[in-house]
Amino acid sequence: MPAGKDAKERMLHYSRTVHICVVTRDKGSGKVGVDRNQHPTFEYSLLAHDEDSMMTGVDQALRVLVAAGATEIGTHQFDGERFKVQGKKRLGNLNPWSRICKSMIVSYMHHSV
Amino acid sequence: MIDAKQPSEHLKKCLADAQCCSVMTDKSMEEFFTPFVSSKAAGGGDSLNKNDIGIQCDVVIIGSGPGGGVVAGVLAQKGYKVVVLDKGEYYAPDDISTLEGPSMISLYENFGALTTEDGGLSLAAAKTVGGGSCVNWSVCFKTPEHVRNEWVHEFGLQLFASEAYEQAMEVVWKRLSVQEVTNKHSLQNSVLQKGCKKLGLHIGALARNASPDHYCGWCSYGCPTGDKQSTPETWLLDAVKTSNTLILSNCKAERILHCPNLTGKKPSKAQGVMASIGDSKATARLFIKANATVVACGSLMTPPLLLNSGLENCNIGKHLRLHPAHSVWGIFPEDSEDFPEGTCYEGGIMTAYSRVSRRNSSNYGALLETSCFHPAIFAAFVPWCSGKNFEHSSILLLFLQFLILTANPKIIPGNLATILCNNS
């Protein structure tokens, strides 16, 4: 699918796209400083422990969306990955996916749900 | 409340008329200013210029958000003369447009586009009178037991085990009219509840500083009805009612003025604040002499002010906790009867939450909450790609890494000094 069409198609679902936010209590911490113009600077990198909390949360959030009946799920990961939920009639409305993707989705869903 | 956007005679007159502070004479200003002339802390010139204004009060508070606002309300009611500075503008409920673009520009730090140095996290920090309390999603958590225990036992902060702290949280809870009832949940919160119940996961109600029938969805852009109990609707109102308080908007604190402390234990003592009036080409400085100086600029903006004032404690700017957050999404087409009604942008933004079961025994875990994306933010955050790109990237599925994080602005009543932009 061309990229422009993909973006528009996602926007068409806007009003019924439910977001769940995974908020972590971070064990790691960042740093606030000032640059040479005395403007604030912020440094932060995610600790492995916190990344693990976040991944656990993302996994659980995706399962919650599926359990509530989502027809399609995804993250805000920059590469635009998304998964159709299998076994629902309404899937017909959405764009077709390649076989490879479908089998991967199935394995992903089995793995995580 | 005085808007200190431009240095002018009008501003001087307003300051002279204010009951809660006195304007310094040229001579007393000269005396106040002299000790700082040679120090870096005075900044921007060695001598006073004719537009500079000096005022004197009991307490000067930098920041009018959930930290500074409470201090102002409490001290003004005790009879102290208080001056509150905020670099943002004041918006009354009637002035709130809730339009995404204009609101981001006028209510947020760096027009809403603040990020960490490597771009890994985007930070949402308010810049308006009332600070984070004006743009947060009205969720209130009392400091949890396990967090308080950690502060007491690991850091020796006995205050958090005390009855006084418990009472302080109750006072905040009461003044903000915090309550746990939500008459109608939004689409997003209904989905979270439904999914968690089905999977047998924890689900809890979130307490909010808004009424049970608050069903809006535009909290991020200010409260157009005034139903959200932000600082300007509560503590700042208490402060102003006493006529002991002056709030200066569009007034940016540049330096804390401090001198060696010859009598006390600490090496130096704050004498007041130097602030700039107007934009970056400011032609005037405002000197505020006070017996006490309170810095309440949030966890992001407090350290830069301290560092720029020449303070040197090695902990300034360290230990920044951001509660990093990541969003996932699901589509719920309208054509099914089993799905909850509504749209993703309407209704109380956060009314339910779920604790994520932890793989380890640590108290540092995650919560699931709902998020708020209006169309422009949605378009900016939701990733899109071409089919070819997808097929290529899906091969990398198992190496999925989450890179886009958002800091979450949130009030934690009681934890007044360390309130974040948030999220959360």
Side-chain angles (χ1 to χ4, degrees), chain B residues 105-297:
Chain B
I105 291 168
S106 53
L107 297 174
Y108 285 86
E109 195 72 63
N110 203 26
F111 315 119
L114 198 67
T115 63
T116 51
E117 288 296 283
D118 60 1
L121 276 108
S122 74
L123 306 164
K127 183 186 157 186
T128 179
V129 172
S133 73
C134 292
V135 298
N136 76 355
W137 299 342
S138 68
V139 173
C140 296
F141 271 108
K142 282 188 184 166
T143 317
E145 205 60 45
H146 66 266
V147 176
R148 289 173 63 182
N149 283 339
E150 192 181 309
W151 291 347
V152 173
H153 297 120
E154 280 187 35
F155 305 110
L157 302 166
Q158 293 305 326
L159 169 74
F160 296 102
S162 68
E163 187 64 26
Y165 186 71
E166 198 73 48
Q167 283 168 2
M169 284 201 290
E170 282 307 322
V171 169
V172 173
W173 217 244
K174 209 171 157 197
R175 184 63 190 95
L176 298 184
S177 314
V178 180
Q179 53 84 33
E180 279 195 7
V181 182
T182 303
N183 290 346
K184 187 183 173 194
H185 288 280
S186 67
L187 166 67
Q188 304 203 100
N189 286 283
S190 306
V191 163
L192 180 61
Q193 286 170 322
K194 190 177 164 189
C196 287
K197 271 181 200 152
K198 220 162 175 180
L199 295 176
L201 299 170
H202 163 265
I203 186 86
L206 285 175
R208 299 187 295 161
N209 50 334
S211 58
D213 58 359
H214 189 86
Y215 191 84
C216 174
W218 272 264
C219 286
S220 322
Y221 308 125
C223 190
T225 59
D227 183 57
K228 179 166 74 177
Q229 297 297 291
S230 61
T231 314
E233 301 291 331
T234 53
W235 303 97
L236 288 179
L237 198 64
D238 297 347
V240 171
K241 273 186 187 162
T242 62
S243 72
N244 284 335
T245 306
L246 174 69
I247 301 169
L248 288 167
S249 58
N250 280 310
C251 184
K252 185 172 184 284
E254 301 285 354
R255 305 280 184 279
I256 297 158
L257 303 172
H258 55 95
C259 282
N261 183 14
L262 303 173
T263 49
K265 279 184 190 164
K266 300 276 171 73
S268 72
K269 186 177 186 319
Q271 308 289 322
V273 177
M274 185 194 81
S276 61
I277 299 170
D279 52 25
S280 53
K281 294 170 201 146
T283 50
R285 291 174 295 179
L286 178 65
F287 290 91
I288 303 153
K289 184 182 176 187
N291 295 333
T293 303
V294 177
V295 185
C297 312

Side-chain angles (χ1 to χ4, degrees), chain A residues 29-45:
Chain A
S29 63
K31 229 171 114 182
V32 183
V34 285
D35 64 14
R36 71 169 94 148
N37 299 318
Q38 304 195 327
H39 293 151
T41 58
F42 310 102
E43 284 169 45
Y44 191 94
S45 47

Side-chain angles (χ1 to χ4, degrees), chain B residues 17-146:
Chain B
D17 291 347
Q19 289 172 28
C20 57
C21 64
S22 54
V23 173
M24 285 193 254
T25 60
D26 286 352
K27 192 169 168 252
S28 59
M29 216 168 129
E30 198 75 47
E31 268 171 36
F32 175 61
F33 182 76
T34 312
F36 309 112
V37 170
S38 54
S39 74
K40 208 174 73 180
D46 290 330
S47 61
L48 289 167
N49 66 48
K50 66 176 170 48
N51 281 332
D52 290 345
I53 307 171
I55 57 174
Q56 204 169 346
C57 59
D58 292 330
V59 184
V60 57
I61 300 168
I62 309 163
S64 62
V70 178
V71 179
V74 172
L75 292 182
Q77 282 178 329
K78 294 274 178 205
Y80 292 98
K81 307 286 183 196
V82 176
V83 172
V84 182
L85 311 181
D86 202 290
K87 64 179 173 179
E89 183 126 12
Y90 172 68
Y91 295 93
D94 285 348
D95 303 333
I96 297 288
S97 69
T98 68
L99 294 171
E100 275 190 282
S103 303
M104 289 303 278
I105 291 168
S106 53
L107 297 174
Y108 285 86
E109 195 72 63
N110 203 26
F111 315 119
L114 198 67
T115 63
T116 51
E117 288 296 283
D118 60 1
L121 276 108
S122 74
L123 306 164
K127 183 186 157 186
T128 179
V129 172
S133 73
C134 292
V135 298
N136 76 355
W137 299 342
S138 68
V139 173
C140 296
F141 271 108
K142 282 188 184 166
T143 317
E145 205 60 45
H146 66 266

Side-chain angles (χ1 to χ4, degrees), chain A residues 81-94:
Chain A
E81 217 153 23
R82 53 187 189 174
F83 312 103
K84 272 191 189 179
V85 180
Q86 301 284 290
K88 298 276 162 89
K89 262 190 177 174
R90 333 181 174 74
L91 285 180
N93 298 340
L94 297 165

Side-chain angles (χ1 to χ4, degrees), chain A:
Chain A
M1 194 194 327
K5 201 176 164 200
D6 180 42
K8 283 175 193 157
E9 192 261 326
R10 286 175 192 240
M11 285 307 287
L12 284 175
H13 291 293
Y14 163 66
S15 69
R16 297 287 293 179
T17 303
V18 168
H19 284 92
I20 294 183
C21 196
V22 183
V23 186
T24 53
R25 180 177 180 226
D26 43 351
K27 209 166 194 172
S29 63
K31 229 171 114 182
V32 183
V34 285
D35 64 14
R36 71 169 94 148
N37 299 318
Q38 304 195 327
H39 293 151
T41 58
F42 310 102
E43 284 169 45
Y44 191 94
S45 47
L46 200 61
L47 207 68
H49 174 279
D50 301 332
E51 188 178 326
D52 185 61
S53 304
M54 188 167 282
M55 293 293 269
T56 314
V58 166
D59 184 282
Q60 190 157 316
L62 289 170
R63 281 192 275 162
V64 165
L65 287 169
V66 172
T71 55
E72 194 177 337
I73 54 168
T75 70
H76 278 180
Q77 171 70 358
F78 67 93
D79 61 10
E81 217 153 23
R82 53 187 189 174
F83 312 103
K84 272 191 189 179
V85 180
Q86 301 284 290
K88 298 276 162 89
K89 262 190 177 174
R90 333 181 174 74
L91 285 180
N93 298 340
L94 297 165
N95 298 296
W97 295 79
S98 73
R99 261 174 197 218
I100 289 181
C101 298
K102 272 192 180 166
S103 65
M104 291 199 77
I105 293 156
V106 172
S107 69
Y108 179 81
M109 298 310 293
H110 278 190
H111 174 68
S112 65
V113 177

Side-chain angles (χ1 to χ4, degrees), chain A residues 7 11 14, chain B residues 100 373-384:
Chain A
M11 285 307 287
Y14 163 66
Chain B
E100 275 190 282
F373 288 88
H374 285 275
I377 300 282
F378 178 84
F381 267 84
V382 159
W384 45 269

